[in-house]
Amino acid sequence: HDVQYKTSQQRAEETVFIDYCAFTYEVKGTNDPEVAISRAAQMLKTFLPHLEIEMRGKGFHGFYESAILLIDGVASGLIASGSSTHRRTYVEMTGLACGFVNFKAFGQMLFDLKARLSRVDTALDFFNSKYDPQAIRQAYIRGEFKNRGQNPSSSMAGPWDDKARWGAGLTYYIGNRKNGKLFRCYHKGREQGDPASNWVRMEVELRRTGNTEYIPFKILMNPEQFFVGAFPWLSRFQNVVAAKVDRVKKAAKITFDHLVHYAKQSYGPLIAVMQSIGMTSEEIQKKLIQPDKVPRRLLLCSVAYGTQ
């Protein structure tokens, strides 16, 4: 690509990062939801140059019209607009889109637009750590997640009762989304399909609810503060930023190695047959390689290594 996502390298130096962002703001000068969606997309292209949108032909959560955000053809969020009760436009960006955004500049833009943050997820990755869902559950049982003397609610997802199936990955939740704050710890690598992966992700999800004030813009400039302050146990990561873990490249290597392993198992015999019938390496490449296609799981990884 001619335009490179240079800001992704900056975020790779951070430890706690933004993994989801949703907000609303007023698009002035139009009542047409399609025009509002188009203008929102143009605004986002300042931070996501490869962004395209695809109209869904239907509404979303009370909005009349909506469109999918696409980055190199991969769904990465949504824009919705049009309502009988207000003139606001809604934007949500998933982890893939967030990976390319310089949130210090983005947060200033939202502040200038008088936008309202409705959901922000901060996250922290561990690639070989003692902190996993089982350890988090034990810390919860010991009362280390208590706020003001009370333990928040908790829940589990995955095959906790069947150790033989732990390769599918476990998730532990603390808090309640309805109350505006939810912590989760899960096996990210196993979610991606590698049953032996030690890649664990922790996330703190903050939501605007009827009982909470709007999420402050400061979270976009300083996600670490909001992550470590969510529950007492998380305060141990107060100085984690000093480590400057190159998270994106570590995630890239784990994902790449996993895909290469399964590609060898699935397509290695096919390539061997193609060679045995006299096909050259160039002919095999032409048959199998799609140079303009990057797998979704490797899209951000390829950017981190400067290949886009």
Side-chain angles (χ1 to χ4, degrees), residues 11 14-21 94-95 98 103 119-127 182-186 188 199-206 219 222-228 230 234 237 240-241 245 247:
R11 200 197 72 179
E14 299 172 354
T15 303
V16 177
F17 58 97
I18 304 294
D19 195 48
Y20 189 98
C21 181
T94 65
C98 289
F103 273 103
R119 174 181 166 185
V120 178
D121 292 7
T122 58
L124 180 59
D125 279 342
F126 299 90
F127 298 97
L182 178 69
F183 169 81
R184 53 183 164 265
C185 176
Y186 62 101
K188 180 67 176 179
W199 177 8
V200 170
R201 175 168 293 179
M202 298 182 191
E203 297 175 350
V204 173
E205 174 187 320
L206 298 181
I219 191 173
N222 188 9
E224 299 86 6
Q225 175 184 347
F226 289 81
F227 182 89
V228 302
L234 296 176
F237 304 120
V240 74
V241 177
V245 178
R247 184 188 59 79

Side-chain angles (χ1 to χ4, degrees), residues 163-174:
K163 190 172 184 178
R165 296 176 54 228
W166 280 7
L170 306 176
T171 303
Y172 196 68
Y173 298 95
I174 297 174

Side-chain angles (χ1 to χ4, degrees), residues 55-164:
M55 298 301 296
R56 300 173 72 228
K58 59 182 179 180
F60 176 80
H61 287 188
F63 293 95
Y64 298 149
E65 298 287 347
S66 62
I68 298 172
L69 301 181
L70 299 171
I71 297 178
D72 287 349
V74 179
S76 308
L78 182 140
I79 305 175
S81 192
S83 171
S84 60
T85 58
H86 56 75
R87 296 178 59 182
R88 303 188 71 79
T89 294
Y90 171 81
V91 178
E92 68 178 31
M93 300 185 301
T94 65
L96 179 59
C98 289
F100 299 118
V101 172
N102 178 338
F103 273 103
K104 289 179 173 59
F106 193 75
Q108 183 61 53
M109 181 194 71
L110 294 186
F111 179 81
D112 294 340
L113 289 171
K114 298 181 180 179
R116 301 171 184 170
L117 293 172
S118 50
R119 174 181 166 185
V120 178
D121 292 7
T122 58
L124 180 59
D125 279 342
F126 299 90
F127 298 97
N128 283 290
S129 172
K130 61 184 178 181
Y131 303 122
D132 58 17
Q134 298 98 315
I136 297 300
R137 183 168 185 265
Q138 292 305 312
Y140 173 84
I141 292 172
R142 293 193 298 267
E144 296 176 22
F145 278 83
K146 285 183 177 180
N147 269 329
R148 298 176 182 175
Q150 292 189 343
N151 241 358
S153 60
S154 70
S155 61
M156 300 181 292
W160 283 79
D161 296 330
D162 186 356
K163 190 172 184 178

